[in-house]
Amino acid sequence: MLPDKIAVCNQKYRWIRFQILPERRRMIEGYPDHTSVIMKLPALTAMPLGIRILLVLLALLIIAVILIVIFASKNVREMNLAIDDAISAISAEHTVTPVDPGTYSELKVYKIMKFHVEQYEVADIGNLSVMKVNMGLMQMATIILTPTQKNLPLISADYMYMFGKRTAYLEFYDFVTDQQAPEYQSLLSDLNTVKESYSALENASPTPAWYDTLKTVGIYKNAKAKDDPTLRKILCDGFGTVMNAAKSLPLLTEEEQQTKTQLCKDYSDGLIEHGGISTDVFKKELGETTTRDFFDQVLFGTNRNTH
């Protein structure tokens, strides 16, 4: 009798497992058994080849978009950190006051590139401008300090971020009233020391340009995301060295300030007349007149007034 009872129990268990339990699960969960759904779906291999290719391409496109968003978010955060560090290096020695750039706070180029612009007044030094853009595939920041009140070089920094790659330019221009002044020569020596201290990073090769002879010191680096703290330190050391030297320099006379301002304006005018990578983009989209006004009022601030 025992084997018969066991057989009956097994039969009842199979009936409960394959009939009652799936039905109970459908009642509780509100959807049919997964196995029955899967059995009704057409196999991917049974789809036409064209549809399969489109599905694969769509999946790859979604993955690419996700990766772009992830990298862009990280790079924007790092770009903002670099800008903040540079401004902090300047404000550690001199008062930095925001200035309203007016209609130039946002510049749209080619309808897809939106440049965000910030402007500052650095006490006893001159104009400071920051311009940044997020293009998805690439992020870029430009920082320009235009000293007009002391015998200091113009500083231009361009930092570019593309996925995990970095390109960093930090340039110092000889727009001073007295290039042979001992204090200025000492500053150039200090800047070259800063340059040499980062020799371990791979050097970048900037495109030759008409203004190369105007530069006195240039730091050009290719790097990766892991080098971001070092790239930020290059900005801090570069701007910090100039700001530290500025503390002991006297203010220029009114006539000397006019001369120095004109040296800087000759450079910005030269960019418009002879060309530059970013300048050419602005000229094509905004026109020469608007580009010149933007340079004079905000980017270099050599003719700043209410705008």
Side-chain angles (χ1 to χ4, degrees):
M1 293 296 293
L2 184 59
D4 292 338
K5 290 182 178 181
I6 293 175
V8 171
C9 288
N10 286 340
Q11 185 177 4
K12 289 183 177 180
Y13 170 73
R14 285 195 299 271
W15 184 80
I16 292 173
R17 179 184 177 188
F18 294 105
Q19 298 296 327
I20 295 179
L21 291 182
E23 182 64 27
R24 179 64 177 167
R25 186 169 66 249
R26 287 194 293 271
M27 292 174 63
I28 295 174
E29 298 180 356
Y31 57 85
D33 181 62
H34 297 303
T35 305
S36 63
V37 174
I38 294 174
M39 292 296 290
K40 294 178 182 178
L41 289 176
L44 181 61
T45 55
M47 295 182 181
L49 178 61
I51 295 179
R52 278 185 283 162
I53 293 175
L54 287 176
L55 288 175
V56 171
L57 291 177
L58 179 60
L60 291 175
L61 179 61
I62 292 173
I63 293 173
V65 170
I66 292 174
L67 288 175
I68 290 174
V69 171
I70 292 174
F71 274 104
S73 177
K74 290 181 178 179
N75 290 347
V76 166
R77 185 164 57 250
E78 182 56 42
M79 176 175 66
N80 288 332
L81 282 174
I83 293 171
D84 291 344
D85 283 359
I87 295 177
S88 294
I90 298 171
S91 60
E93 304 293 349
H94 293 78
T95 301
V96 177
T97 306
V99 175
D100 181 11
T103 57
Y104 294 122
S105 60
E106 283 190 1
L107 296 173
K108 291 184 178 180
V109 177
Y110 301 141
K111 297 181 179 180
I112 59 173
M113 297 167 59
K114 182 184 291 185
F115 289 85
H116 297 274
V117 181
E118 300 170 8
Q119 186 177 17
Y120 303 88
E121 168 68 23
V122 183
D124 297 332
I125 300 294
N127 189 78
L128 173 66
S129 64
V130 175
M131 183 170 61
K132 57 185 178 181
V133 61
N134 176 14
M135 295 179 281
L137 294 175
M138 184 180 78
Q139 296 71 39
M140 183 176 69
T142 296
I143 308 171
I144 300 177
L145 178 64
T146 308
T148 54
Q149 300 175 48
K150 290 190 175 183
N151 203 46
L152 298 167
L154 181 146
I155 308 175
S156 176
D158 291 293
Y159 271 45
M160 290 153 279
Y161 305 78
M162 183 176 289
F163 293 98
K165 296 183 178 180
R166 310 286 190 254
T167 301
Y169 292 177
L170 181 59
E171 301 171 321
F172 303 86
Y173 289 80
D174 247 341
F175 306 145
V176 295
T177 56
D178 185 0
Q179 296 182 9
Q180 302 306 316
E183 299 86 356
Y184 185 68
Q185 289 299 313
S186 177
L187 171 58
L188 296 185
S189 177
D190 291 342
L191 290 175
N192 275 303
T193 299
V194 171
K195 178 179 179 178
E196 291 302 318
S197 68
Y198 295 100
S199 59
L201 282 179
E202 177 189 346
N203 289 324
S205 300
T207 303
W210 64 269
Y211 46 78
D212 286 344
T213 57
L214 303 176
K215 291 181 286 190
T216 183
V217 178
I219 302 175
Y220 308 97
K221 297 297 178 181
N222 288 323
K224 298 180 180 180
K226 65 180 180 63
D227 302 310
D228 283 337
T230 303
L231 295 180
R232 295 201 304 269
K233 194 170 185 303
I234 290 176
L235 278 179
C236 291
D237 288 350
F239 279 97
T241 298
V242 173
M243 292 298 98
N244 187 59
K247 291 191 300 182
S248 60
L249 293 178
L251 286 171
L252 297 174
T253 65
E254 184 176 344
E255 183 180 353
E256 289 172 332
Q257 289 187 33
Q258 291 176 356
T259 300
K260 194 173 189 321
T261 300
Q262 188 60 50
L263 289 171
C264 297
K265 190 176 187 324
D266 289 343
Y267 168 65
S268 64
D269 287 344
L271 287 173
I272 294 173
E273 295 166 7
H274 305 300
I277 297 176
S278 298
T279 304
D280 293 341
V281 172
F282 286 127
K283 281 177 59 179
K284 184 175 181 180
E285 185 68 14
L286 305 178
E288 181 175 325
T289 300
T290 300
T291 301
R292 188 184 299 276
D293 187 63
F294 169 55
F295 281 16
D296 291 347
Q297 300 287 350
V298 178
L299 198 62
F300 296 96
T302 53
N303 189 30
R304 194 177 71 207
N305 53 36
T306 303
H307 46 274

